[in-house]
Amino acid sequence: MTTLFNELCEENKETLRQKYIPMFFGEECHAFAIALNRGLGWPIVWLMNGTVVHHVAVRSPEGLLYNAQGAFSEKELSELFSPSLTYSLCEITEVYLPTDEKAQRVREHRIAQARKFAETLWPELDWLESRVSKVKAFIDELETLSRKHKVWIRSPYSELQAVVEEGEGNELGYRLEEVLNGFTINLRIKE
């Protein structure tokens, strides 16, 4: 049976944090909250001072508030902004602000980025249809198919690893080329 290693070393996680936290803690905190809401089923909450929304996060079943920086109590999250202000939480449903198609595509792209980032940092959370579970199911079926037909995919060079990734909807299928000792396989994509 296939073994799947989904743990990143701390150095790689820190690189991801440096890249994505500024984006998803700031102006794209709503995309991060939507990604967690879709991926975990946890409710989205606004951190508000009066009628002003300061931040968007999700609430775990244990009552912790998650954003791109991690898990916080309500008090801890409030103190990230201004400890002198009084904040309240307001539970909301997923709301799309942009109405045009291009803005919607950008938002969906950001939400997908946020989901990958969050699943990578917190693989222990109970993700609904996680990237890891989808890839593991695919690899398990591929292994069964490989055993049935006695055909296996591998890299001819140890420095080059085969990559399995989620599709983006522009895939046309695979291209095979015969080479010495086997075939190469590559994804065909709409240009």
Side-chain angles (χ1 to χ4, degrees):
M1 197 44 83
T2 304
T3 303
L4 185 64
F5 299 97
N6 62 357
E7 293 295 318
L8 281 182
C9 69
E10 274 308 308
E11 183 179 327
N12 289 341
K13 284 185 178 183
E14 187 54 35
T15 300
L16 284 174
R17 286 183 190 103
Q18 288 174 10
K19 179 178 180 179
Y20 288 114
I21 285 177
M23 178 191 332
F24 291 126
F25 184 73
E27 64 186 46
E28 294 287 344
C29 64
H30 58 280
F32 195 82
I34 291 169
L36 292 179
N37 170 260
R38 289 180 185 177
L40 296 163
W42 297 351
I44 301 171
V45 294
W46 280 345
L47 181 67
M48 302 179 72
N49 173 255
T51 59
V52 178
V53 177
H54 286 265
H55 192 59
V56 183
V58 295
R59 186 191 316 264
S60 75
E62 298 78 31
L64 292 174
L65 301 171
Y66 277 75
N67 68 20
Q69 290 187 334
F72 299 90
S73 69
E74 187 173 339
K75 182 179 185 310
E76 290 168 333
L77 187 62
S78 297
E79 289 174 353
L80 287 176
F81 296 95
S82 177
S84 62
L85 294 177
T86 303
Y87 291 98
S88 62
L89 292 176
C90 175
E91 194 170 306
I92 62 166
T93 58
E94 183 178 326
V95 176
Y96 290 105
L97 300 175
T99 54
D100 66 273
E101 189 177 322
K102 182 179 178 185
Q104 186 63 37
R105 281 196 312 273
V106 169
R107 178 174 296 253
E108 288 300 324
H109 176 72
R110 288 281 189 250
I111 292 168
Q113 281 182 312
R115 171 104 182 231
K116 286 179 184 178
F117 171 58
E119 282 189 38
T120 301
L121 289 185
W122 305 310
E124 71 281 359
L125 295 179
D126 194 18
W127 295 97
L128 310 170
E129 296 184 21
S130 71
R131 292 173 55 239
V132 170
S133 67
K134 285 195 272 186
V135 170
K136 173 118 176 43
F138 171 81
I139 293 299
D140 286 346
E141 288 184 39
L142 180 60
E143 182 175 335
T144 300
L145 192 61
S146 291
R147 290 187 186 287
K148 176 181 175 183
H149 294 283
K150 296 179 178 52
V151 175
W152 296 87
I153 297 172
R154 68 172 181 83
S155 173
Y157 308 105
S158 60
E159 303 85 35
L160 299 175
Q161 298 290 320
V163 175
V164 177
E165 63 184 15
E166 287 182 89
E168 296 181 0
N170 60 345
E171 299 80 16
L172 296 172
Y174 293 105
R175 177 182 63 245
L176 287 175
E177 288 186 31
E178 189 166 7
V179 294
L180 187 63
N181 297 329
F183 294 85
T184 60
I185 182 172
N186 207 345
L187 183 60
R188 293 183 307 126
I189 297 175
K190 286 184 218 173
E191 298 290 328

